């Protein structure tokens, strides 16, 4: 397994104004009047992605997680390294994307592997690829989550 430069979130080490939500996501604010340069996605894109993750998780009872970042020289090994640190890994699906390498990997936990099987994971990858080719990362991720949730069902 490859290692990631981003370890699991330690709440006590988060910067001022950041918190770990009950869902496992990190939420942060910045001081009023300060210019905020760190956000790579628009508010609309983040809201869209958050909503689709919430809807898919509620509809399927399978936790959906997304990782966007460097997966290393071997993206499959990188996804394998990231997956155990995701929230509720045993009953979740991880869609890991390394945009600079044009790589996408999907992993499913052992408690949901029968529902989120290889066929379902491949459907998610296929759904994401056309948007990714057009440079639409969030649209591709939304498509992948929706298609996978529909295939998993309840």
């Amino acid at each position: 397994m490859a290692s990631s430069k981003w370890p699991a979130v330690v709440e006590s080490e988060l910067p001022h104004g950041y918190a770990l939500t009950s869902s496992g996501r990190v939420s942060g604010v910045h001081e009023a009047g300060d210019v905020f340069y760190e956000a790579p996605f628009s508010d609309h894109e983040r809201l869209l992605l958050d909503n689709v993750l919430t809807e898919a998780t509620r509809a399927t009872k399978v936790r959906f997680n997304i990782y966007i970042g460097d997966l290393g020289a071997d993206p499959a090994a990188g996804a394998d390294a990231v997956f155990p640190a995701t929230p509720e890994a045993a009953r979740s699906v991880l869609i890991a994307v390394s945009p600079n390498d044009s790589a996408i990997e999907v992993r499913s936990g052992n408690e949901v592997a029968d529902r989120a099987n290889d066929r379902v994971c491949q459907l998610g990858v296929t759904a994401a690829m056309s948007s990714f080719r057009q440079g639409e990362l969030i649209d591709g991720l939304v498509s992948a989550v929706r298609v996978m949730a529909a295939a998993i069902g309840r």
Side-chain angles (χ1 to χ4, degrees), residues 92 95 100 121 147:
S92 73
I95 301 172
N100 294 336
C121 293
V147 165

Side-chain angles (χ1 to χ4, degrees), residues 1-3 71 74-85 94 96 105-108:
M1 288 188 192
S3 64
L71 292 172
D74 181 0
D80 290 340
V82 169
F83 184 62
L94 169 68
E105 295 284 334
V106 181
R107 298 292 181 269
S108 59

